[in-house]
Amino acid sequence: MKLHSVTYALFIAGLAAFSTSSLAAQSLRFGYETSQTDSQHIAAKKFNDLLQERTKGELKLKLFPDSTLGNAQAMISGVRGGTIDMEMSGSNNFAGLSPVMNLLDVPFLFRDTAHAHKTLDGKVGDDLKASLEGKGLKVLAYWENGWRDVTNSRAPVKTPADLKGLKIRTIDAQEHPINVVWSAKFFEVQKFLSLTHHAYSPLLVVINKAKFDGLSPEFQQALVSSAQEAGNYQRKLVAEDQQKIIDGMKEAGVEVITDLDRKAFSDALGNQVRDMFVKDVPQGADLLKAVDEVQ
């Protein structure tokens, strides 16, 4: 074999080895606000394990919990700009980019958790995902923050009338998923928890769309399937955590009110928020109807 042929063969072999090495080392920076003890981080580790298994170690995640890469809005901007590959945060953080995302903040939109999951994992959820693609974001999966409930420092809230006079989110009361209530230790000063479940808060796991589009179809599928499987796992963790947190609050002296009528709260609210959503979003009425029809 002539020298230049040997040199060429070695060059090609070297390129192949370099290419394989580069793929093996490829990692995606994945940021989120919660701590390493939260279900989001635990599920993110599972996401990474699944992804590496399905890509034979050629694609992996580098995890950044504890707001290491900034708050939700900073991370979303980073993902859109390409300085961060992926991030995870509540759906409300995306409403400024896509007003249709406000659908998920409509009170009493979902009947129960199963209804929420089926809606998000179906056509409505797909339509919401698609609304962000023009903003440079590809939604891989919906994970879960949980149901928003009310805590207050004054008295048990069992009926809409009990909310009268309460200053929400300032002094007397606040409303958040109870994992936030627990981690922020609101229960130390607010001794009444009412499980109003007035809104369901999903998390969006998003990746820079150009980054996603640049991956092979096999890697794209691995990312989506791994994110969705890890999301189902995280939803189960949230359900388990809810009861642990409620038990912990009871031990801390919190009165937990479960015997309330969600319909009474929904009726008291009326269609005010729904009407606002329809006014602001052209396809709002169709989206609301589609959610209501999910069985």
Side-chain angles (χ1 to χ4, degrees), residues 44-217:
K45 291 194 293 183
K46 185 174 182 66
F47 181 8
N48 189 28
D49 291 342
L50 290 168
L51 183 61
Q52 291 192 65
E53 178 185 338
R54 290 170 185 175
T55 62
K56 297 181 172 58
E58 294 181 353
L59 192 60
K60 62 183 180 180
L61 304 177
K62 188 173 182 181
L63 307 180
F64 292 89
D66 292 305
S67 299
T68 308
L69 301 181
N71 62 21
Q73 291 298 336
M75 287 189 289
I76 291 170
S77 295
V79 173
R80 294 183 70 207
T83 58
I84 302 172
D85 298 305
M86 298 171 53
E87 79 93 36
M88 167 171 53
S89 55
S91 59
N92 61 301
N93 293 295
F94 298 88
L97 294 173
S98 175
V100 297
M101 298 302 299
N102 280 315
L103 171 72
L104 300 175
D105 284 328
V106 173
F108 302 102
L109 179 68
F110 300 116
R111 297 183 294 272
D112 51 32
T113 303
H115 182 210
H117 289 174
K118 192 167 184 180
T119 301
L120 292 171
D121 297 341
K123 185 180 183 307
V124 173
D126 289 343
D127 289 345
L128 296 180
K129 290 178 183 178
S131 75
L132 288 169
E133 294 200 358
K135 307 299 182 181
L137 299 172
K138 168 73 176 179
V139 181
L140 298 176
Y142 293 101
W143 291 18
E144 183 166 281
N145 242 337
W147 289 97
R148 303 183 79 92
D149 297 305
V150 174
T151 64
N152 84 92
S153 60
R154 288 174 46 182
V157 171
K158 296 184 178 181
T159 70
D162 295 332
L163 290 171
K164 186 176 182 180
L166 282 179
K167 297 177 181 178
I168 304 291
R169 289 199 174 191
T170 53
I171 300 171
D172 302 323
Q174 63 80 46
E175 55 87 36
H176 269 108
I178 61 172
N179 61 307
V180 177
V181 177
W182 183 253
S183 62
K185 298 185 178 181
F186 288 129
F187 62 88
E188 292 182 351
V189 293
Q190 298 186 337
K191 294 300 185 180
F192 302 96
L193 165 64
S194 298
L195 301 181
T196 53
H197 281 22
H198 54 274
Y200 173 86
S201 295
L203 297 165
L204 274 63
V205 177
V206 298
I207 184 172
N208 176 275
K209 189 171 187 302
K211 183 79 173 184
F212 180 84
D213 291 344
L215 297 171
S216 69

Side-chain angles (χ1 to χ4, degrees), residues 11-23:
F11 176 68
I12 293 299
L15 281 179
F18 176 79
S19 176
T20 302
S21 174
S22 297
L23 285 173

Side-chain angles (χ1 to χ4, degrees), residues 274-294:
R274 285 186 169 228
D275 291 344
M276 290 171 59
F277 177 68
V278 170
K279 182 179 179 181
D280 292 340
V281 177
Q283 67 271 47
D286 291 337
L287 283 169
L288 288 168
K289 181 180 178 183
V291 173
D292 291 340
E293 290 177 348
V294 172

